[in-house]
Amino acid sequence: MGTMTQTLQGVPLNHYIWLSAIIFTIGVIGVLTRRNAIVIFMSVELMLNAVNLLLTAFSVHSNDPSGQVFVFFIMALAAAEVAVGLSIIVMVYRNTQSTDINVLNRLKW
Amino acid sequence: MGTSVFYLVAFLSIFFSLMVIFAKNPVHSVLYLIVTFFTFTVHYILLNAQFLAVVNFIVYMGAIMVLFLFVLMLLNLNKENEPLKSGLLKVVGVVAGCCLVVTLIGSLKATAVSDPLVLQNPNLGLVKNLGKELFGPFMLPFELSSILLLTAMVGAVLLTKKEKV
């Protein structure tokens, strides 16, 4: 692993922040432009992963393992969230025969 | 080669995450998302966060994506009844997203110039170091997360169970 850590040297922290910002924004665009509930869910996963990468980069930057522990907790949270969310989608599909979120506008007004 | 590995993998991450949200077929979206998560695993390895790389590989690419694919196959969605938003809403969404990224990067430009990322402690992200952290100061949140997972499991089973009339 010694050679692997040498390749890291020289990437500015800003570039990690740019990468995370871009991927987070791609997730936001996915949530805004898609109507399939499952694809929206996947966009939320993209946003979670962008934040995870940023936390890890900052953890390495400040030499503090707490950031990586938080990433671990976020991964556990994401697993729980996906299980509950997908079961809600399955229930919605059973009732409406589609995963279109525009069908679910009863709580809109 | 140095930093070029990072830029190559970063380009691949952005490309495949764009494919996730622009693919018409949801199954293709899931497959592109798996590739995106693989590039994130490579990022973690480059950051020498080996524990997170393995957890990302197993939990995200293994468990969560299989769950997505399983539900997608269960629901039997095909391309014909795939709901699509109108063109105007799509353009508005993309413009809003571009405004967000311009704001984020612009505000970042206003801050000081960043120093290069240097790994001071080579065994920062190893299992030994993180385990000590996890079972030391973060003991209570770690145990609480197990209760969270149990709650999620009970909730998922209750939600999807057909109620007996």
Side-chain angles (χ1 to χ4, degrees), chain A residues 5-81:
Chain A
T5 58
Q6 293 306 313
T7 65
L8 173 69
Q9 320 284 335
V11 179
L13 185 61
N14 263 0
H15 292 183
Y16 274 100
I17 306 179
W18 292 352
L19 174 65
S20 294
I22 290 171
I23 291 180
F24 189 88
T25 310
I26 290 171
V28 170
I29 292 174
V31 169
L32 288 178
T33 56
R34 296 303 296 261
R35 270 172 58 191
N36 191 340
I38 295 180
V39 180
I40 288 179
F41 230 65
M42 288 193 275
S43 306
V44 173
E45 291 299 311
L46 265 182
M47 290 196 261
L48 277 173
N49 262 284
V51 174
N52 278 353
L53 182 64
L54 195 59
L55 269 174
T56 315
F58 271 105
S59 151
V60 171
H61 180 253
S62 58
N63 198 20
D64 186 1
S66 305
Q68 304 198 8
V69 174
F70 268 96
V71 173
F72 179 68
F73 284 139
I74 291 175
M75 281 176 181
L77 191 95
E81 173 231 335

Side-chain angles (χ1 to χ4, degrees), chain B residues 66-123:
Chain B
V66 166
L67 206 59
F68 267 108
L69 214 51
F70 186 74
V71 169
L72 215 49
M73 298 291 176
L74 200 68
L75 297 190
N76 192 21
L77 299 170
N78 40 15
K79 219 184 210 169
E80 286 78 48
N81 55 23
E82 158 78 7
L84 286 174
K85 269 192 180 164
S86 63
L88 179 67
L89 273 177
K90 271 190 178 169
V91 171
V92 170
V94 171
V95 167
C98 291
C99 288
L100 177 64
V101 79
V102 164
T103 311
L104 283 175
I105 291 182
S107 62
L108 205 65
K109 285 270 190 196
T111 61
V113 181
S114 75
D115 38 349
L117 205 56
V118 175
L119 191 70
Q120 287 127 3
N121 183 7
N123 48 10

Side-chain angles (χ1 to χ4, degrees), chain B residues 5-22:
Chain B
V5 177
F6 168 75
Y7 294 108
L8 175 69
V9 179
F11 170 74
L12 286 179
S13 314
I14 293 172
F15 175 74
F16 283 114
S17 48
L18 279 175
M19 295 296 281
V20 169
I21 64 167
F22 288 124

Side-chain angles (χ1 to χ4, degrees), chain B:
Chain B
M1 64 176 219
T3 59
S4 59
V5 177
F6 168 75
Y7 294 108
L8 175 69
V9 179
F11 170 74
L12 286 179
S13 314
I14 293 172
F15 175 74
F16 283 114
S17 48
L18 279 175
M19 295 296 281
V20 169
I21 64 167
F22 288 124
K24 288 272 181 289
N25 193 338
V27 177
H28 292 175
S29 282
V30 173
L31 295 179
Y32 285 127
L33 195 59
I34 292 175
V35 180
T36 310
F37 286 161
F38 183 72
T39 60
F40 272 91
T41 306
V42 177
H43 275 303
Y44 289 137
I45 291 173
L46 283 178
L47 282 168
N48 206 27
Q50 296 167 22
F51 174 67
L52 285 183
V54 171
V55 168
N56 194 55
F57 199 87
I58 295 174
V59 173
Y60 264 111
M61 290 174 62
I64 294 183
M65 285 299 106
V66 166
L67 206 59
F68 267 108
L69 214 51
F70 186 74
V71 169
L72 215 49
M73 298 291 176
L74 200 68
L75 297 190
N76 192 21
L77 299 170
N78 40 15
K79 219 184 210 169
E80 286 78 48
N81 55 23
E82 158 78 7
L84 286 174
K85 269 192 180 164
S86 63
L88 179 67
L89 273 177
K90 271 190 178 169
V91 171
V92 170
V94 171
V95 167
C98 291
C99 288
L100 177 64
V101 79
V102 164
T103 311
L104 283 175
I105 291 182
S107 62
L108 205 65
K109 285 270 190 196
T111 61
V113 181
S114 75
D115 38 349
L117 205 56
V118 175
L119 191 70
Q120 287 127 3
N121 183 7
N123 48 10
L124 176 71
L126 301 193
V127 180
K128 190 177 176 187
N129 199 6
L130 282 184
K132 275 180 183 157
E133 193 76 12
L134 208 53
F135 284 95
F138 289 97
M139 185 75 187
L140 183 64
F142 183 67
E143 299 295 340
L144 282 180
S145 71
S146 70
I147 298 179
L148 173 78
L149 286 174
L150 178 68
T151 319
M153 192 182 77
V154 173
V157 170
L158 269 182
L159 276 174
T160 48
K161 200 163 74 90
K162 275 215 172 92
E163 57 265 32
K164 294 192 185 73
V165 182

